[in-house]
Amino acid sequence: MAWWYLALAGLFEMGWPLGFKLADLCPQYRPLYLFLSVVSMGLSGLFLYWAQRAIPMGTAYLVWTGIGGIGTVLIGILFFHDAVTFWRLFFLLLVFVGIVGLKMVH
């Protein structure tokens, strides 16, 4: 169950930078998006807390930030036209390999 909590924590970790971006792009909904960002931060932290009860702290933290980071980069590429370069994708792949590797050795 702890790994599910960690996956949820990583997904909510993507929510707050997305909310910040949307708040900037849509000023008329800024308070809503900022509120959703704060809620996402809180839920991300709560699920990380629950995951760390069974997963070593360093592993949980790295996987959490990795999921959030990879997801946020992909959201930026897919929806906000962020740059797509070979090296950017290569290093993103390295982060992914590190996350999978930590899961495999746990």
Side-chain angles (χ1 to χ4, degrees):
M1 191 65 161
W3 285 99
W4 285 107
Y5 288 146
L6 191 55
L8 285 171
L11 291 175
F12 280 109
E13 183 69 5
M14 290 183 271
W16 64 269
L18 175 60
F20 288 161
K21 181 70 170 178
L22 293 173
D24 184 52
L25 292 175
C26 305
Q28 68 273 26
Y29 298 112
R30 185 171 290 142
L32 172 64
Y33 289 132
L34 292 176
F35 172 76
L36 292 174
S37 292
V38 171
V39 169
S40 187
M41 284 180 204
L43 289 172
S44 179
L46 178 65
F47 284 119
L48 176 62
Y49 165 72
W50 286 343
Q52 284 183 346
R53 293 186 295 182
I55 299 170
M57 180 182 67
T59 300
Y61 182 75
L62 187 59
V63 171
W64 173 64
T65 57
I67 292 170
I70 289 171
T72 302
V73 168
L74 293 176
I75 288 170
I77 289 170
L78 295 172
F79 299 104
F80 299 105
H81 310 292
D82 288 356
V84 180
T85 66
F86 170 80
W87 290 111
R88 194 163 192 226
L89 295 177
F90 173 75
F91 290 116
L92 198 62
L93 178 65
L94 290 180
V95 173
F96 178 76
V97 168
I99 291 170
V100 171
L102 282 173
K103 171 64 173 114
M104 289 174 58
V105 299
H106 174 69

